[in-house]
Structures are given as C-alpha cells and as structure tokens.
C-alpha cells in the first residue's frame, strides 16, 4: 500500500477494475449525450461555443470521416471485435501504467459507445461540429477513441525512449 493509501485508510482498486469502471463511465456519458442530442437538436442546430463549436444532429452510417457509409452492420461487428480484443488485452496486462489504463478505457468506451448506436439504430449519432474548420461532426465516443490513440502513442514513445537509454 502506498503512503497516501495508508494515510487515507483506503485500498486502491485493481487496475483492471479501474479500467472497466472508466469504460462504463465513458459509455454512459456517450449514450446520455447522444440521447440528449437526439431529443434537443431535432429542430435544428445550436451554438455551444460561439465561433468554435456548434451542436448539429447527424447520423453517420459509416466510420470516421464517413468512410464505409452504409456499412453499419459490418462496422457494428468491428466495434464488437475491437471491444472483445480490448478486454482480452486488458486481462493479459502484467504491468498496467495509468496512461495505458486510460487508453484502454477510452478505446473500449468509444468502441462500445459507437457500437451500441450501430446495433440499436444502424447509425452513429454525431452532434459536435467544429466551426472554424471543415471537420466531420463527432461525438464523445469519437473523442475517447482519439484520446486512446494519443495515450497509446505516448506510451509507445516512452517505452522506446527508455529502451534507448543505457
């Protein structure tokens, strides 16, 4: 037990439990935000941050940047496979640093969040639009997946840097 854990008298949850807990938080936040968007944005877009972010309800039957449009069934299967592979990977981790845990939770949460949309309605609900640039409309699950990529990239770079040092 670390000194901070001894001082507070609480034991820290195992890394896998923390990862799955954060995954659940991401999925719930994603699904709640999408339900809100479907209910509140059906009559048209709204401004969230003037000149920066608008809220625009769209349905994407493809993947990122509308690739594979109309392939919701196949992409739903891909989401399921990514989530299953992620769980297997998490279970096999011997050393599970915080950045890797965050990456795993974000990847699982994002894959499950968008997968649920594909399985339930045949499309992913997107609603966040960046105003100053021409960028596809996205959602919280998409943000989580991008954060996962960043976490894994930083983890890889840190691992390589430690290998290069004598």
């Amino acid at each position: 037990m670390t000194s901070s854990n001894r001082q507070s008298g609480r034991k820290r949850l195992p890394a896998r439990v923390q990862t799955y807990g954060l995954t659940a938080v991401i999925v719930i936040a994603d699904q709640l935000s999408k339900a809100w968007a479907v209910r509140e944005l059906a009559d048209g877009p709204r401004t969230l941050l003037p000149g920066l972010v608008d809220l625009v309800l769209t349905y994407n039957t493809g993947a990122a940047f509308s690739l594979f449009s109309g392939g919701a069934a196949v992409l739903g299967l891909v989401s399921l496979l990514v989530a299953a592979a992620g769980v297997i990977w998490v279970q096999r981790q011997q050393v599970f640093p915080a950045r890797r845990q965050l990456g795993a939770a974000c990847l699982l949460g994002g894959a499950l969040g968008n997968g649920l949309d594909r399985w339930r309605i045949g499309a992913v609900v997107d609603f966040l639009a960046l105003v100053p640039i021409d960028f596809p409309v996205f959602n919280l699950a998409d943000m989580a997946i991008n954060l996962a990529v960043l976490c894994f990239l930083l983890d890889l770079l840190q691992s390589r840097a430690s290998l290069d040092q004598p």
Side-chain angles (χ1 to χ4, degrees):
M1 202 179 332
T2 65
S3 62
S4 63
N5 285 341
R6 277 190 295 260
Q7 290 172 355
S8 68
R10 293 185 291 190
K11 289 186 178 181
R12 190 168 180 211
L13 291 173
R16 287 177 187 86
V17 173
Q18 292 175 4
T19 300
Y20 295 138
L22 182 54
T23 296
V25 168
I26 291 167
V27 172
I28 291 167
D30 175 67
Q31 292 297 297
L32 288 174
S33 68
K34 290 172 179 174
W36 176 89
V38 167
R39 186 179 62 251
E40 298 296 325
L41 301 175
D43 293 333
R46 294 185 187 177
T47 298
L48 178 62
L49 298 170
L52 188 60
V53 179
D54 283 348
L55 302 172
V56 179
L57 181 62
T58 63
Y59 295 89
N60 183 357
T61 60
F65 302 100
S66 294
L67 294 172
F68 310 111
S69 286
V74 171
L75 291 169
L77 179 61
V78 169
S79 294
L80 179 62
L81 292 174
V82 167
V87 168
I88 292 167
W89 182 78
V90 166
Q91 290 303 120
R92 290 185 176 177
Q93 292 301 297
Q94 299 298 315
V95 177
F96 209 26
R99 186 175 23 242
R100 202 174 299 161
Q101 282 178 255
L102 177 61
C106 287
L107 181 62
L108 287 170
L112 290 170
N114 283 341
L116 284 169
D117 286 6
R118 289 183 178 110
W119 302 320
R120 285 184 314 107
I121 62 174
V124 173
V125 175
D126 289 323
F127 61 93
L128 297 166
L130 297 177
V131 174
I133 59 174
D134 185 24
F135 192 80
V137 180
F138 57 99
N139 59 47
L140 296 183
D142 298 333
M143 291 171 54
I145 292 168
N146 283 296
L147 181 56
V149 170
L150 178 62
C151 288
F152 291 139
L153 178 62
L154 291 173
D155 192 54
L156 178 67
L157 291 174
Q158 182 182 20
S159 296
R160 289 223 171 145
S162 65
L163 291 175
D164 290 341
Q165 293 181 0

